[in-house]
Amino acid sequence: MTNKEHASCHRQKLAILDFKPHLVCLILAIIISDALFTPLAAQNPIIRDQFTADPSARVFNNKVYVFPSHDIRAPQGKNLRKDWFCMEDYHVFSSENLSDWTDHGVILSQYDPAWVDSATYSMWAPDCVERDGKYYFYFPANTRADQNGRRGFGIGVAVAERPQGPYLPQAEAIRGVHGIDPNVFIDKDGQAYLYWSQQHIFVARLKENMLELDSEPYIIPNLPDKGLKEGPWVFEREGIYYLTFPHVENKTERLEYAVGKHPMGPFTMKGVIMDESPVACWTNHHSILEYRGQWYLFYHHNDYSPDFDKNRSIRIDSLFFKADGSIQKVNPSLRGVGLSPANTTIQLDRYSALSPEGAEISFIDKSRPFEGWKTRLNKPGAWVQYNAIDFGNKKTKSLQIRAQAQQGGSLELRLNSPEGPLLASLALQAGSDWENYSFKIKKTRPGIVNLFVLLRSESEVEIDWLKFQP
Ligand code: FUB
């Protein structure tokens, strides 16, 4: 967590206190706001039991709902390419704290809309918006052949009374729309716009029924000429309309943006929000939203499938604006956002930094990636850094750690730097299995720390997680 994120947590608390001049009210407000205030935190990736991609995140009824694509491995015997995207249905996930996500299950599958060719497993990136208490879910898919035998991507709408569905698909795809990656933006005056991509980025006005176009599709000009552009996501902040989208400037997609004074432009290119993935996950696809005073970038990476980048996982990192409204580049992280309470399971493998030598992260079991990762320290002095652990105001006296040391080993826990104050020295006995060890530690002070876990022994130690206790 950065200083800016700390400041934003405080701003959220203070906003609740704003209206209380009287001291007694103020004290009451502090007690109430602390009780009501759910801290926001997330480690990446955020969904840990299935592949998810192309996250469209929305705030509905004070909760964050994420509508992602659902990558799967191509089923046998369906005549599908093994090396391509394969998507049969959509789930929706919701959370109030960005850490604990409820999976509301399948909200729509390729077998539901009459117009979708269900042999193609092509339920690509969706979006969802609310209007007058109804939820409109927009999704692309390959169409069945028309009278002239023509096929291609269309975009359909399914409507629900609640964000988690059930969603009822319209009988036909939206007329006049050919392409993928729908995104809907409703402006302050109530006018809704549909954006989508098909090599270029298109926009058209939507009728008030949210189901039909109200203008001819228009190719948004002044965006990069060369390289695929897709996945538009439009939002407004302080009178500036941001058109953000993945674009292949070099080899794979990076996230870029343009700004304008109207939802239909003209837009002027501004820059890069997130660079290309260094490990060549070919796609990236994102959404941007403000939730309780902080802006977030939702995006994806192939965390659980390093050898096949069409099985992706969604992540969140904080996003900041400069004073002139431009977007600061976001560095993708595993650590994610917010504070990790000291008494919860802290996955060190979602680290903030690793020593240049002797520290590495790998799957606990490569054949079962959703079991997660472990941290391996194999050189004396090697370390893993995990930032923003919140010790709250209760004293912490002990520590549990799940670790494995084949030949026995020793670790040190230090605060704020590899040479910082010593919190604990841990001696781990030899064993060929994972063990849950308990140790007494020096009493901690209340507050937020950056933790360093260092290897002191010659022999290596693997760590799954640790947790502090009173
Ligand atoms: O998920 C399938 C496609 O990959 C999306 O529609 C694109 O935006 C890219 O993420």
Side-chain angles (χ1 to χ4, degrees), residues 324-365:
D324 64 358
S326 56
I327 298 177
Q328 278 184 24
K329 218 187 240 186
V330 179
N331 288 321
S333 87
L334 298 175
R335 178 64 190 79
V337 299
L339 303 173
S340 293
N343 61 358
T344 57
T345 304
I346 294 169
Q347 303 286 353
L348 287 180
D349 48 75
R350 307 298 87 195
Y351 60 89
S352 306
L354 293 178
S355 56
E357 290 193 320
E360 58 190 45
I361 308 298
S362 56
F363 285 119
I364 290 176
D365 178 348

mmCIF file of all heavy atoms in Angstrom, residues 324-365:
data_model
loop_
_atom_site.group_PDB
_atom_site.id
_atom_site.type_symbol
_atom_site.label_atom_id
_atom_site.label_comp_id
_atom_site.label_asym_id
_atom_site.label_seq_id
_atom_site.Cartn_x
_atom_site.Cartn_y
_atom_site.Cartn_z
ATOM 1 N N ASP A 324 -3.363 17.224 -13.360
ATOM 2 C CA ASP A 324 -3.917 17.659 -14.654
ATOM 3 C C ASP A 324 -4.899 16.632 -15.233
ATOM 4 O O ASP A 324 -5.333 16.764 -16.381
ATOM 5 C CB ASP A 324 -2.790 17.927 -15.666
ATOM 6 C CG ASP A 324 -2.012 16.661 -15.989
ATOM 7 O OD1 ASP A 324 -2.315 15.592 -15.421
ATOM 8 O OD2 ASP A 324 -1.081 16.739 -16.826
ATOM 9 N N GLY A 325 -5.228 15.606 -14.458
ATOM 10 C CA GLY A 325 -6.200 14.612 -14.926
ATOM 11 C C GLY A 325 -5.567 13.444 -15.657
ATOM 12 O O GLY A 325 -6.257 12.487 -16.001
ATOM 13 N N SER A 326 -4.265 13.495 -15.903
ATOM 14 C CA SER A 326 -3.655 12.362 -16.600
ATOM 15 C C SER A 326 -3.511 11.187 -15.625
ATOM 16 O O SER A 326 -3.490 11.365 -14.407
ATOM 17 C CB SER A 326 -2.315 12.743 -17.232
ATOM 18 O OG SER A 326 -1.455 13.265 -16.261
ATOM 19 N N ILE A 327 -3.435 9.990 -16.213
ATOM 20 C CA ILE A 327 -3.410 8.761 -15.394
ATOM 21 C C ILE A 327 -1.967 8.340 -15.168
ATOM 22 O O ILE A 327 -1.179 8.265 -16.116
ATOM 23 C CB ILE A 327 -4.185 7.625 -16.107
ATOM 24 C CG1 ILE A 327 -5.662 8.013 -16.273
ATOM 25 C CG2 ILE A 327 -4.057 6.309 -15.361
ATOM 26 C CD1 ILE A 327 -6.506 6.988 -17.028
ATOM 27 N N GLN A 328 -1.619 8.056 -13.906
ATOM 28 C CA GLN A 328 -0.265 7.547 -13.614
ATOM 29 C C GLN A 328 -0.195 6.095 -14.060
ATOM 30 O O GLN A 328 -1.135 5.329 -13.828
ATOM 31 C CB GLN A 328 -0.012 7.561 -12.112
ATOM 32 C CG GLN A 328 0.406 8.892 -11.587
ATOM 33 C CD GLN A 328 0.741 8.797 -10.099
ATOM 34 O OE1 GLN A 328 1.084 7.759 -9.576
ATOM 35 N NE2 GLN A 328 0.623 9.921 -9.432
ATOM 36 N N LYS A 329 0.940 5.736 -14.664
ATOM 37 C CA LYS A 329 1.086 4.349 -15.103
ATOM 38 C C LYS A 329 0.965 3.407 -13.903
ATOM 39 O O LYS A 329 1.455 3.710 -12.814
ATOM 40 C CB LYS A 329 2.460 4.184 -15.731
ATOM 41 C CG LYS A 329 2.465 3.287 -16.926
ATOM 42 C CD LYS A 329 3.844 3.038 -17.389
ATOM 43 C CE LYS A 329 4.014 3.507 -18.799
ATOM 44 N NZ LYS A 329 5.343 3.137 -19.326
ATOM 45 N N VAL A 330 0.294 2.282 -14.109
ATOM 46 C CA VAL A 330 0.113 1.302 -13.025
ATOM 47 C C VAL A 330 1.108 0.157 -13.239
ATOM 48 O O VAL A 330 1.182 -0.407 -14.329
ATOM 49 C CB VAL A 330 -1.325 0.731 -13.051
ATOM 50 C CG1 VAL A 330 -1.520 -0.307 -11.952
ATOM 51 C CG2 VAL A 330 -2.352 1.852 -12.930
ATOM 52 N N ASN A 331 1.879 -0.157 -12.188
ATOM 53 C CA ASN A 331 2.755 -1.330 -12.248
ATOM 54 C C ASN A 331 1.960 -2.533 -11.770
ATOM 55 O O ASN A 331 1.456 -2.518 -10.648
ATOM 56 C CB ASN A 331 3.970 -1.159 -11.323
ATOM 57 C CG ASN A 331 4.922 -0.146 -11.883
ATOM 58 O OD1 ASN A 331 5.140 -0.085 -13.094
ATOM 59 N ND2 ASN A 331 5.467 0.680 -11.014
ATOM 60 N N PRO A 332 1.856 -3.574 -12.596
ATOM 61 C CA PRO A 332 1.084 -4.738 -12.149
ATOM 62 C C PRO A 332 1.725 -5.342 -10.911
ATOM 63 O O PRO A 332 2.946 -5.402 -10.813
ATOM 64 C CB PRO A 332 1.178 -5.711 -13.327
ATOM 65 C CG PRO A 332 2.291 -5.214 -14.179
ATOM 66 C CD PRO A 332 2.477 -3.761 -13.906
ATOM 67 N N SER A 333 0.907 -5.754 -9.942
ATOM 68 C CA SER A 333 1.494 -6.315 -8.716
ATOM 69 C C SER A 333 0.786 -7.605 -8.332
ATOM 70 O O SER A 333 -0.344 -7.867 -8.737
ATOM 71 C CB SER A 333 1.390 -5.312 -7.569
ATOM 72 O OG SER A 333 0.155 -5.431 -6.910
ATOM 73 N N LEU A 334 1.475 -8.403 -7.536
ATOM 74 C CA LEU A 334 0.857 -9.578 -6.904
ATOM 75 C C LEU A 334 0.263 -9.177 -5.567
ATOM 76 O O LEU A 334 -0.754 -9.711 -5.138
ATOM 77 C CB LEU A 334 1.912 -10.663 -6.674
ATOM 78 C CG LEU A 334 2.569 -11.209 -7.929
ATOM 79 C CD1 LEU A 334 3.684 -12.172 -7.578
ATOM 80 C CD2 LEU A 334 1.531 -11.905 -8.798
ATOM 81 N N ARG A 335 0.903 -8.195 -4.924
ATOM 82 C CA ARG A 335 0.486 -7.756 -3.583
ATOM 83 C C ARG A 335 -0.924 -7.172 -3.618
ATOM 84 O O ARG A 335 -1.653 -7.252 -2.631
ATOM 85 C CB ARG A 335 1.519 -6.715 -3.093
ATOM 86 C CG ARG A 335 1.256 -6.097 -1.747
ATOM 87 C CD ARG A 335 1.300 -7.102 -0.640
ATOM 88 N NE ARG A 335 0.812 -6.487 0.580
ATOM 89 C CZ ARG A 335 -0.478 -6.306 0.870
ATOM 90 N NH1 ARG A 335 -1.409 -6.731 0.040
ATOM 91 N NH2 ARG A 335 -0.837 -5.741 1.991
ATOM 92 N N GLY A 336 -1.288 -6.556 -4.742
ATOM 93 C CA GLY A 336 -2.654 -6.048 -4.888
ATOM 94 C C GLY A 336 -2.854 -4.739 -4.166
ATOM 95 O O GLY A 336 -2.013 -3.851 -4.238
ATOM 96 N N VAL A 337 -3.982 -4.623 -3.435
ATOM 97 C CA VAL A 337 -4.340 -3.327 -2.842
ATOM 98 C C VAL A 337 -4.661 -3.490 -1.362
ATOM 99 O O VAL A 337 -5.007 -4.575 -0.898
ATOM 100 C CB VAL A 337 -5.548 -2.695 -3.564
ATOM 101 C CG1 VAL A 337 -5.239 -2.442 -5.018
ATOM 102 C CG2 VAL A 337 -6.787 -3.561 -3.445
ATOM 103 N N GLY A 338 -4.514 -2.405 -0.617
ATOM 104 C CA GLY A 338 -5.000 -2.340 0.763
ATOM 105 C C GLY A 338 -4.052 -2.952 1.780
ATOM 106 O O GLY A 338 -2.925 -3.333 1.480
ATOM 107 N N LEU A 339 -4.561 -3.019 3.021
ATOM 108 C CA LEU A 339 -3.795 -3.530 4.157
ATOM 109 C C LEU A 339 -4.155 -4.988 4.395
ATOM 110 O O LEU A 339 -5.318 -5.352 4.306
ATOM 111 C CB LEU A 339 -4.174 -2.765 5.426
ATOM 112 C CG LEU A 339 -3.998 -1.250 5.421
ATOM 113 C CD1 LEU A 339 -4.596 -0.661 6.693
ATOM 114 C CD2 LEU A 339 -2.516 -0.906 5.330
ATOM 115 N N SER A 340 -3.157 -5.824 4.744
ATOM 116 C CA SER A 340 -3.468 -7.199 5.158
ATOM 117 C C SER A 340 -3.512 -7.239 6.674
ATOM 118 O O SER A 340 -2.483 -6.999 7.322
ATOM 119 C CB SER A 340 -2.368 -8.165 4.693
ATOM 120 O OG SER A 340 -2.359 -8.257 3.309
ATOM 121 N N PRO A 341 -4.681 -7.511 7.287
ATOM 122 C CA PRO A 341 -4.708 -7.612 8.746
ATOM 123 C C PRO A 341 -3.723 -8.693 9.217
ATOM 124 O O PRO A 341 -3.646 -9.776 8.630
ATOM 125 C CB PRO A 341 -6.154 -8.022 9.050
ATOM 126 C CG PRO A 341 -6.918 -7.640 7.827
ATOM 127 C CD PRO A 341 -5.981 -7.777 6.677
ATOM 128 N N ALA A 342 -2.961 -8.378 10.300
ATOM 129 C CA ALA A 342 -1.901 -9.294 10.748
ATOM 130 C C ALA A 342 -2.456 -10.658 11.153
ATOM 131 O O ALA A 342 -1.761 -11.668 11.055
ATOM 132 C CB ALA A 342 -1.153 -8.659 11.921
ATOM 133 N N ASN A 343 -3.725 -10.686 11.611
ATOM 134 C CA ASN A 343 -4.266 -11.967 12.094
ATOM 135 C C ASN A 343 -4.954 -12.778 10.999
ATOM 136 O O ASN A 343 -5.663 -13.729 11.276
ATOM 137 C CB ASN A 343 -5.227 -11.729 13.266
ATOM 138 C CG ASN A 343 -6.405 -10.874 12.832
ATOM 139 O OD1 ASN A 343 -6.473 -10.434 11.684
ATOM 140 N ND2 ASN A 343 -7.328 -10.636 13.742
ATOM 141 N N THR A 344 -4.754 -12.381 9.717
ATOM 142 C CA THR A 344 -5.290 -13.215 8.622
ATOM 143 C C THR A 344 -4.127 -13.955 7.966
ATOM 144 O O THR A 344 -2.962 -13.625 8.201
ATOM 145 C CB THR A 344 -6.013 -12.361 7.561
ATOM 146 O OG1 THR A 344 -5.086 -11.385 7.074
ATOM 147 C CG2 THR A 344 -7.227 -11.657 8.134
ATOM 148 N N THR A 345 -4.454 -14.920 7.140
ATOM 149 C CA THR A 345 -3.418 -15.707 6.469
ATOM 150 C C THR A 345 -2.690 -14.829 5.452
ATOM 151 O O THR A 345 -3.317 -14.344 4.503
ATOM 152 C CB THR A 345 -4.082 -16.898 5.752
ATOM 153 O OG1 THR A 345 -4.824 -17.606 6.736
ATOM 154 C CG2 THR A 345 -3.076 -17.822 5.125
ATOM 155 N N ILE A 346 -1.407 -14.623 5.685
ATOM 156 C CA ILE A 346 -0.650 -13.741 4.786
ATOM 157 C C ILE A 346 0.160 -14.609 3.824
ATOM 158 O O ILE A 346 1.054 -15.353 4.239
ATOM 159 C CB ILE A 346 0.259 -12.798 5.603
ATOM 160 C CG1 ILE A 346 -0.641 -11.862 6.419
ATOM 161 C CG2 ILE A 346 1.218 -12.025 4.712
ATOM 162 C CD1 ILE A 346 0.074 -11.067 7.457
ATOM 163 N N GLN A 347 -0.215 -14.540 2.569
ATOM 164 C CA GLN A 347 0.470 -15.331 1.547
ATOM 165 C C GLN A 347 1.697 -14.538 1.111
ATOM 166 O O GLN A 347 1.597 -13.602 0.320
ATOM 167 C CB GLN A 347 -0.449 -15.582 0.337
ATOM 168 C CG GLN A 347 -1.760 -16.276 0.651
ATOM 169 C CD GLN A 347 -1.594 -17.761 0.957
ATOM 170 O OE1 GLN A 347 -0.506 -18.321 0.809
ATOM 171 N NE2 GLN A 347 -2.671 -18.388 1.383
ATOM 172 N N LEU A 348 2.864 -14.935 1.638
ATOM 173 C CA LEU A 348 4.090 -14.180 1.313
ATOM 174 C C LEU A 348 4.405 -14.219 -0.175
ATOM 175 O O LEU A 348 5.089 -13.338 -0.690
ATOM 176 C CB LEU A 348 5.286 -14.764 2.073
ATOM 177 C CG LEU A 348 5.346 -14.499 3.571
ATOM 178 C CD1 LEU A 348 6.583 -15.153 4.149
ATOM 179 C CD2 LEU A 348 5.351 -13.009 3.862
ATOM 180 N N ASP A 349 3.910 -15.268 -0.860
ATOM 181 C CA ASP A 349 4.200 -15.375 -2.299
ATOM 182 C C ASP A 349 3.487 -14.287 -3.104
ATOM 183 O O ASP A 349 3.749 -14.120 -4.284
ATOM 184 C CB ASP A 349 3.817 -16.767 -2.816
ATOM 185 C CG ASP A 349 2.438 -17.179 -2.356
ATOM 186 O OD1 ASP A 349 1.461 -16.650 -2.904
ATOM 187 O OD2 ASP A 349 2.332 -18.007 -1.426
ATOM 188 N N ARG A 350 2.596 -13.525 -2.490
ATOM 189 C CA ARG A 350 2.001 -12.327 -3.126
ATOM 190 C C ARG A 350 2.831 -11.125 -2.667
ATOM 191 O O ARG A 350 2.320 -10.099 -2.251
ATOM 192 C CB ARG A 350 0.528 -12.144 -2.725
ATOM 193 C CG ARG A 350 -0.380 -13.343 -2.950
ATOM 194 C CD ARG A 350 -0.502 -13.755 -4.382
ATOM 195 N NE ARG A 350 0.556 -14.673 -4.790
ATOM 196 C CZ ARG A 350 0.836 -14.952 -6.055
ATOM 197 N NH1 ARG A 350 0.182 -14.379 -7.017
ATOM 198 N NH2 ARG A 350 1.811 -15.788 -6.369
ATOM 199 N N TYR A 351 4.117 -11.229 -2.766
ATOM 200 C CA TYR A 351 5.105 -10.331 -2.172
ATOM 201 C C TYR A 351 5.085 -8.921 -2.766
ATOM 202 O O TYR A 351 4.576 -8.703 -3.863
ATOM 203 C CB TYR A 351 6.503 -10.927 -2.365
ATOM 204 C CG TYR A 351 6.850 -11.115 -3.827
ATOM 205 C CD1 TYR A 351 7.461 -10.094 -4.551
ATOM 206 C CD2 TYR A 351 6.537 -12.292 -4.502
ATOM 207 C CE1 TYR A 351 7.765 -10.257 -5.899
ATOM 208 C CE2 TYR A 351 6.839 -12.458 -5.843
ATOM 209 C CZ TYR A 351 7.447 -11.433 -6.536
ATOM 210 O OH TYR A 351 7.732 -11.577 -7.860
ATOM 211 N N SER A 352 5.774 -8.022 -2.044
ATOM 212 C CA SER A 352 6.011 -6.679 -2.581
ATOM 213 C C SER A 352 7.361 -6.632 -3.289
ATOM 214 O O SER A 352 7.529 -5.911 -4.269
ATOM 215 C CB SER A 352 6.001 -5.640 -1.460
ATOM 216 O OG SER A 352 4.813 -5.752 -0.735
ATOM 217 N N ALA A 353 8.351 -7.380 -2.751
ATOM 218 C CA ALA A 353 9.671 -7.434 -3.408
ATOM 219 C C ALA A 353 10.392 -8.696 -2.952
ATOM 220 O O ALA A 353 10.091 -9.247 -1.888
ATOM 221 C CB ALA A 353 10.496 -6.202 -3.043
ATOM 222 N N LEU A 354 11.367 -9.139 -3.793
ATOM 223 C CA LEU A 354 12.201 -10.309 -3.456
ATOM 224 C C LEU A 354 13.653 -9.882 -3.516
ATOM 225 O O LEU A 354 14.020 -8.998 -4.308
ATOM 226 C CB LEU A 354 12.011 -11.422 -4.489
ATOM 227 C CG LEU A 354 10.659 -12.137 -4.583
ATOM 228 C CD1 LEU A 354 10.692 -13.164 -5.717
ATOM 229 C CD2 LEU A 354 10.309 -12.820 -3.271
ATOM 230 N N SER A 355 14.519 -10.505 -2.722
ATOM 231 C CA SER A 355 15.960 -10.221 -2.825
ATOM 232 C C SER A 355 16.428 -10.630 -4.216
ATOM 233 O O SER A 355 15.852 -11.549 -4.827
ATOM 234 C CB SER A 355 16.735 -10.975 -1.752
ATOM 235 O OG SER A 355 16.470 -12.351 -1.851
ATOM 236 N N PRO A 356 17.475 -9.962 -4.735
ATOM 237 C CA PRO A 356 17.882 -10.262 -6.117
ATOM 238 C C PRO A 356 18.315 -11.711 -6.312
ATOM 239 O O PRO A 356 18.230 -12.248 -7.407
ATOM 240 C CB PRO A 356 19.062 -9.311 -6.364
ATOM 241 C CG PRO A 356 19.129 -8.393 -5.188
ATOM 242 C CD PRO A 356 18.233 -8.889 -4.109
ATOM 243 N N GLU A 357 18.752 -12.369 -5.244
ATOM 244 C CA GLU A 357 19.184 -13.779 -5.372
ATOM 245 C C GLU A 357 18.589 -14.614 -4.259
ATOM 246 O O GLU A 357 18.384 -14.115 -3.147
ATOM 247 C CB GLU A 357 20.710 -13.870 -5.231
ATOM 248 C CG GLU A 357 21.435 -13.293 -6.399
ATOM 249 C CD GLU A 357 22.901 -13.676 -6.360
ATOM 250 O OE1 GLU A 357 23.480 -13.670 -5.260
ATOM 251 O OE2 GLU A 357 23.422 -13.979 -7.436
ATOM 252 N N GLY A 358 18.366 -15.882 -4.544
ATOM 253 C CA GLY A 358 18.019 -16.842 -3.492
ATOM 254 C C GLY A 358 16.572 -16.816 -3.043
ATOM 255 O O GLY A 358 16.251 -17.413 -2.010
ATOM 256 N N ALA A 359 15.688 -16.146 -3.787
ATOM 257 C CA ALA A 359 14.265 -16.134 -3.411
ATOM 258 C C ALA A 359 13.448 -16.377 -4.670
ATOM 259 O O ALA A 359 13.673 -15.716 -5.687
ATOM 260 C CB ALA A 359 13.885 -14.796 -2.804
ATOM 261 N N GLU A 360 12.542 -17.334 -4.626
ATOM 262 C CA GLU A 360 11.702 -17.571 -5.809
ATOM 263 C C GLU A 360 10.315 -18.057 -5.398
ATOM 264 O O GLU A 360 10.123 -18.586 -4.307
ATOM 265 C CB GLU A 360 12.377 -18.569 -6.759
ATOM 266 C CG GLU A 360 12.665 -19.894 -6.120
ATOM 267 C CD GLU A 360 13.543 -20.785 -6.981
ATOM 268 O OE1 GLU A 360 14.547 -20.285 -7.524
ATOM 269 O OE2 GLU A 360 13.194 -21.970 -7.094
ATOM 270 N N ILE A 361 9.382 -17.861 -6.328
ATOM 271 C CA ILE A 361 7.988 -18.246 -6.093
ATOM 272 C C ILE A 361 7.648 -19.362 -7.081
ATOM 273 O O ILE A 361 8.008 -19.271 -8.256
ATOM 274 C CB ILE A 361 7.034 -17.049 -6.359
ATOM 275 C CG1 ILE A 361 7.461 -15.793 -5.599
ATOM 276 C CG2 ILE A 361 5.579 -17.414 -6.065
ATOM 277 C CD1 ILE A 361 7.473 -15.897 -4.108
ATOM 278 N N SER A 362 6.966 -20.396 -6.609
ATOM 279 C CA SER A 362 6.502 -21.428 -7.550
ATOM 280 C C SER A 362 5.180 -22.006 -7.038
ATOM 281 O O SER A 362 4.794 -21.764 -5.891
ATOM 282 C CB SER A 362 7.550 -22.534 -7.703
ATOM 283 O OG SER A 362 7.844 -23.063 -6.438
ATOM 284 N N PHE A 363 4.498 -22.768 -7.902
ATOM 285 C CA PHE A 363 3.254 -23.410 -7.464
ATOM 286 C C PHE A 363 3.563 -24.429 -6.367
ATOM 287 O O PHE A 363 4.610 -25.096 -6.405
ATOM 288 C CB PHE A 363 2.585 -24.146 -8.628
ATOM 289 C CG PHE A 363 1.904 -23.229 -9.605
ATOM 290 C CD1 PHE A 363 2.295 -23.177 -10.935
ATOM 291 C CD2 PHE A 363 0.853 -22.426 -9.183
ATOM 292 C CE1 PHE A 363 1.658 -22.338 -11.838
ATOM 293 C CE2 PHE A 363 0.202 -21.579 -10.085
ATOM 294 C CZ PHE A 363 0.615 -21.534 -11.403
ATOM 295 N N ILE A 364 2.655 -24.595 -5.417
ATOM 296 C CA ILE A 364 2.797 -25.658 -4.411
ATOM 297 C C ILE A 364 2.742 -27.008 -5.128
ATOM 298 O O ILE A 364 3.516 -27.913 -4.859
ATOM 299 C CB ILE A 364 1.686 -25.542 -3.345
ATOM 300 C CG1 ILE A 364 1.954 -24.291 -2.509
ATOM 301 C CG2 ILE A 364 1.608 -26.792 -2.476
ATOM 302 C CD1 ILE A 364 0.912 -23.976 -1.479
ATOM 303 N N ASP A 365 1.831 -27.106 -6.108
ATOM 304 C CA ASP A 365 1.718 -28.336 -6.898
ATOM 305 C C ASP A 365 1.361 -27.894 -8.325
ATOM 306 O O ASP A 365 0.238 -27.442 -8.562
ATOM 307 C CB ASP A 365 0.611 -29.219 -6.294
ATOM 308 C CG ASP A 365 0.389 -30.496 -7.094
ATOM 309 O OD1 ASP A 365 0.914 -30.603 -8.228
ATOM 310 O OD2 ASP A 365 -0.323 -31.373 -6.578
#
